[in-house]
Amino acid sequence: MTSVVATPTAAPIDREKTCPLLLRVFVNEGQHHLPDAYHRGRVPATELQIYTWKDASLKELTNLIKDVHPQASSKGTMFNFALVFPDKRGNYHFKEVGTTSVAHNGPDDRVTLSAVRLEIGDYMDVAIRSPPEERGPPRDRRAPLRRSGEGRGFRSRPY
């Protein structure tokens, strides 16, 4: 996936004087929603309505989503963003626009909604991927390693 980089020539938005837009965000655990979920006016039930500006970054959206989904606040949780937009026939398409991570900075953190060419009426689909589970407590490096079956009543294997 290629990252979209915000252009420095974009005029800054005065958030005190500019009215925010309504961004309809649909969150799913593990993977994005299927394109069929956006067919003929239907949308997934996991909708968040966020009032924001076109200069909002993906990291800002990540923090807003974490406020609503506290279980997604674990260190290492990944947020994969995709823009959902209709074509002229009314079929919806996905465009991956970036990935952010909780507690880690990445190249897509500063990508803005205007940089990904968000238009009024487009949706944002967010796949939240939990961090991989820990493999257990760290081992004391001074303790000797046990061989397979040693001390548990198993016979040692000759191979």
Side-chain angles (χ1 to χ4, degrees):
M1 178 179 81
T2 58
S3 296
V4 179
V5 180
T7 57
T9 58
I13 295 175
D14 183 0
R15 291 186 175 193
E16 293 292 322
K17 295 180 180 178
T18 305
C19 183
L21 60 94
L22 172 64
L23 179 62
R24 297 176 70 185
V25 178
F26 300 93
V27 179
N28 198 21
E29 296 279 333
Q31 63 185 12
H32 288 290
H33 290 95
L34 296 174
D36 292 346
Y38 299 95
H39 187 65
R40 294 188 181 184
R42 291 181 304 175
V43 292
T46 58
E47 181 177 1
L48 295 176
Q49 294 185 348
I50 298 176
Y51 288 93
T52 189
W53 294 266
K54 281 197 166 189
D55 67 345
S57 67
L58 295 182
K59 194 63 160 190
E60 284 181 67
L61 295 178
T62 298
N63 292 330
L64 291 170
I65 294 168
K66 283 188 335 187
D67 290 342
V68 178
H69 292 279
Q71 70 274 17
S73 297
S74 301
K75 184 177 182 179
T77 301
M78 303 296 288
F79 290 76
N80 189 304
F81 292 86
L83 193 61
V84 182
F85 56 94
D87 63 10
K88 292 180 181 179
R89 293 186 206 144
N91 297 322
Y92 282 87
H93 301 277
F94 282 70
K95 176 183 166 189
E96 300 256 344
V97 295
T99 301
T100 61
S101 175
V102 174
H104 298 291
N105 292 330
D108 295 334
D109 288 355
R110 292 184 172 177
V111 172
T112 63
L113 297 177
S114 60
V116 299
R117 298 183 179 168
L118 175 93
E119 294 185 17
I120 305 295
D122 291 348
Y123 305 138
M124 187 67 71
D125 193 276
V126 182
I128 300 177
R129 295 186 178 98
S130 300
E133 295 296 321
E134 294 293 325
R135 296 183 183 217
R139 179 176 75 78
D140 183 6
R141 295 198 180 272
R142 295 173 292 181
L145 288 174
R146 287 180 28 183
R147 290 188 213 159
S148 174
E150 186 177 294
R152 290 185 240 152
F154 297 107
R155 295 185 311 184
S156 63
R157 296 191 173 131
Y159 48 86

